[in-house]
Amino acid sequence: MKRAILAGLRWTSLRLRLVVVFALVALTAAVSASGIAYWLNREAVLVRTQDSALNDFRQGMQNRAATLPLQPVEHDLQVAAKQMADSSNSRYNVLLVAERAPGKPIVGASNVDGFTLDDVPKSLQEAVDKKQKVTGTNAYPYHLFWQRITLHGHPYLVGGTKIIGAGPTGYMLAPLDQERRDLNSLAWSLGIATFLALLASALLAQAAATTVLRPVQRLGDAARRLGEGKLDTRLRVSGTDELADLSRTFNRTAEALEKKVTDMSAREEASRRFVADMSHELRTPLTALTAVAEVLDEEEDSLDPMIAPAVRLVVSETRRLNVLVENLMEVTRFDAGTARLVLDDVDIADQITACIDTRAWLDAVELDAERGIMARLDPRRLDVVLANLIGNALKHGGSPVRVSVRVEGDELVIAVRDHGPGIPEEVLPHVFDRFYKASASRPRSEGSGLGLSIAMENAHIHGGDITASNSPEGGAVFVLRLPLDATPPATTAETPEGGAEQ
């Protein structure tokens, strides 16, 4: 499903843009070529028809209308108009207009129903009747004029001229339906050609995109696998173009990254094993040292006052070293992924009370927790988290420390607040870092520097988290959030830890 979504995203990006650009270029070229071809053919067809009809009409006016008497009757005009129309190869109607007396026109038409004087535009009539001045560049007072008009939804060519020397005025009306059909057929042909060109360009763009983008897609997939940790991912290189060079560069980079990560993993594993082995080896002498220190602590009152401070220092540092070794072993188990939960149903109020009672903190801690809040957690790890948070608040913030418990949905929320100066803003992002020291001038402290880090790891293994902040009223606030049931979804039975984890 994820691959399909990613493929869809790729299609809507570079591939689609490439196809669209190809299609737009092809569409622009095809439309331009088709438009020019249509315009040229249209002019050629119309000019050819127009010239043929007008030449026939001019010839007919000279041969027929010019031979009419000076004062023809309507019958004479009608016969001449019909003869002109019948002798033409251009299929047009003729209309002849003369005067039997001033102001009394007579009209003769080859087809009375098909062509009348009302069909002739007024502007054309005025141009035909207008007598022009004869000059060196204009040898005749009257000329042939024409227009393309539309009558009753059909295209026509209408032309007119006047016989020089008081002869009749003639008009012709030639239909252009055939030419319009021819031009429509041409337009359809050019449209189909444009569509085919567009389709061909889209197919060409798809082929080009596939050729260009397939290596890019393989490179993206390889980079994704590399990011997922499959460091042995390599690309098959073929050719000598830029994409082949890019593939070779990727392979060299992946090889160098794999080598570096392998070396770092080996060093990290060696370091982790060293810490684990060292911690384990230190436990035996530490056990003996702890026993001796306890004896010396019990005999402190009977010791020489001169050596009593040294004895107290030895006892304190032995205990500190013992805590440090235990914390190192705990951190090692988290790093190795061997830490496991031993779940049990826990009364949170009783658990917190037991934690502070065991460490004699009852007088310094205020507990705000209702009885009966139950959660399925690891009680030992919860005790470690609470001890670290409360102990850190007492050591750095001072009493009273307030611990409040509430339930939000399916989460258990435990807030630990002190009344100290709070945590500096520059320290807040690092309070859970291992061995982090808030002040460089105090690199040594009574703690191991691992307490809050171990608390965070124990929260994470439960599926929870810890946040640190400063309260507006003053003091630091640590908020522990844990699920009320930390049972993993696939867990069917509890697996107790062995060895030192018990």
Side-chain angles (χ1 to χ4, degrees):
M1 182 65 180
K2 184 178 179 181
R3 286 184 176 274
I5 294 175
L6 292 175
L9 292 177
R10 284 195 296 271
W11 168 253
T12 58
S13 56
L14 184 58
R15 182 184 297 270
L16 182 58
R17 290 200 296 270
L18 188 59
V19 171
V20 168
V21 168
F22 265 74
L24 288 177
V25 171
L27 182 62
T28 302
V31 168
S32 300
S34 298
I36 294 173
Y38 179 80
W39 181 78
L40 292 176
N41 280 274
R42 178 179 181 275
E43 289 302 311
V45 169
L46 292 178
V47 167
R48 183 178 65 247
T49 302
Q50 169 185 303
D51 290 347
S52 176
L54 292 177
N55 288 334
D56 283 350
F57 176 66
R58 181 185 289 108
Q59 192 67 33
M61 288 293 291
Q62 292 175 356
N63 295 337
R64 303 289 182 180
T67 60
L68 290 173
L70 291 178
Q71 293 182 344
V73 296
E74 183 178 350
H75 177 72
D76 295 335
L77 295 176
Q78 189 171 357
V79 170
K82 188 170 181 58
Q83 289 176 347
M84 290 173 61
D86 291 342
S87 63
S88 171
N89 296 323
S90 301
R91 311 178 316 278
Y92 57 71
N93 294 323
V94 178
L95 188 69
L96 295 177
V97 180
E99 290 185 350
R100 61 173 175 265
K104 295 182 179 181
I106 55 174
V107 178
S110 61
N111 184 355
V112 178
D113 297 328
F115 186 29
T116 65
L117 192 59
D118 293 335
D119 296 329
V120 180
K122 295 297 182 182
S123 59
L124 181 63
Q125 295 183 35
E126 292 174 357
V128 170
D129 291 336
K130 183 178 180 180
K131 185 176 182 179
Q132 301 183 22
K133 185 178 181 180
V134 177
T135 63
T137 58
N138 182 33
Y140 304 102
Y142 298 104
H143 294 273
L144 176 64
F145 295 92
W146 58 270
Q147 286 186 15
R148 294 175 191 154
I149 63 172
T150 300
L151 293 177
H152 313 296
H154 297 277
Y156 289 93
L157 172 68
V158 59
T161 187
K162 188 171 185 177
I163 298 296
I164 300 173
T169 302
Y171 297 98
M172 54 84 65
L173 184 70
L176 298 177
D177 286 307
Q178 182 61 44
E179 286 72 19
R180 183 170 69 173
R181 286 192 293 269
D182 293 342
L183 291 174
N184 288 341
S185 298
L186 177 62
W188 273 104
S189 300
L190 292 175
I192 293 173
T194 301
F195 173 76
L196 293 177
L198 183 61
L199 181 61
S201 69
L203 295 177
L204 181 62
Q206 175 66 17
T210 301
T211 303
V212 174
L213 297 181
R214 184 180 290 117
V216 178
Q217 181 177 348
R218 287 200 298 265
L219 180 62
D221 292 339
R224 193 175 301 107
R225 291 196 299 272
L226 196 66
E228 292 172 353
K230 299 175 182 177
L231 301 180
D232 58 343
T233 302
R234 299 293 185 274
L235 289 172
R236 181 173 58 84
V237 181
S238 60
T240 57
D241 56 9
E242 290 80 359
L243 290 174
D245 291 339
L246 181 60
S247 299
R248 293 189 187 93
T249 302
F250 175 85
N251 288 341
R252 289 195 295 268
T253 303
E255 184 177 356
L257 180 62
E258 182 181 18
K259 184 177 183 301
K260 181 167 290 188
V261 170
T262 301
D263 294 343
M264 291 178 60
S265 298
R267 287 196 296 269
E268 183 180 357
E269 180 61 27
S271 176
R272 187 184 298 117
R273 187 165 54 251
F274 170 76
V275 173
D277 293 343
M278 180 191 68
S279 302
H280 189 270
E281 292 298 326
L282 283 175
R283 294 195 70 178
T284 300
L286 270 178
T287 302
L289 286 174
T290 302
V292 173
E294 294 297 333
V295 172
L296 291 175
D297 189 33
E298 292 175 359
E299 299 296 330
E300 180 183 357
D301 296 337
S302 61
L303 294 176
D304 189 324
M306 297 294 294
I307 64 173
V311 170
R312 285 195 295 270
L313 179 62
V314 169
V315 171
S316 173
E317 291 301 311
T318 300
R319 289 172 178 170
R320 181 173 178 272
L321 182 60
N322 192 57
V323 171
L324 176 61
V325 170
E326 291 295 332
N327 287 341
L328 284 174
M329 294 188 67
E330 183 80 358
V331 168
T332 303
R333 281 189 285 270
F334 281 119
D335 289 344
T338 59
R340 297 290 183 271
L341 292 175
V342 181
L343 299 177
D344 196 4
D345 293 326
V346 178
D347 187 305
I348 301 302
D350 291 344
Q351 180 73 22
I352 299 176
T353 301
C355 173
I356 59 180
D357 185 27
T358 301
R359 294 163 179 82
W361 292 340
L362 286 174
D363 294 335
V365 177
E366 298 177 357
L367 177 61
D368 179 15
E370 295 182 3
R371 296 288 177 179
I373 298 178
M374 303 297 295
R376 187 163 183 78
L377 305 168
D378 186 328
R380 185 189 71 80
R381 295 189 181 279
L382 178 59
D383 182 77
V384 171
V385 175
L386 293 172
N388 277 296
L389 295 181
I390 298 173
N392 181 77
L394 288 171
K395 181 166 57 178
H396 298 288
S399 61
V401 171
R402 181 177 178 83
V403 180
S404 58
V405 181
R406 65 182 185 274
V407 176
E408 295 181 358
D410 57 353
E411 277 190 337
L412 172 68
V413 181
I414 301 176
V416 179
R417 178 192 168 193
D418 61 46
H419 290 79
I423 306 173
E425 292 297 328
E426 67 274 9
V427 176
L428 272 175
H430 307 285
V431 293
F432 297 104
D433 295 350
R434 296 176 184 177
F435 301 108
Y436 178 75
K437 300 295 182 180
S439 175
S441 63
R442 299 179 59 194
R444 183 182 182 279
S445 64
E446 295 180 2
S448 64
L450 294 171
L452 291 178
S453 174
I454 291 174
M456 179 65 82
E457 295 289 352
N458 279 295
H460 285 169
I461 199 174
H462 279 89
D465 194 17
I466 305 175
T467 57
S469 61
N470 290 314
S471 174
E473 293 81 12
V477 180
F478 286 82
V479 179
L480 169 66
R481 293 179 177 273
L482 298 175
L484 289 174
D485 187 353
T487 305
T491 300
T492 56
E494 295 175 0
T495 305
E497 296 180 273
E501 282 289 298
Q502 290 288 345

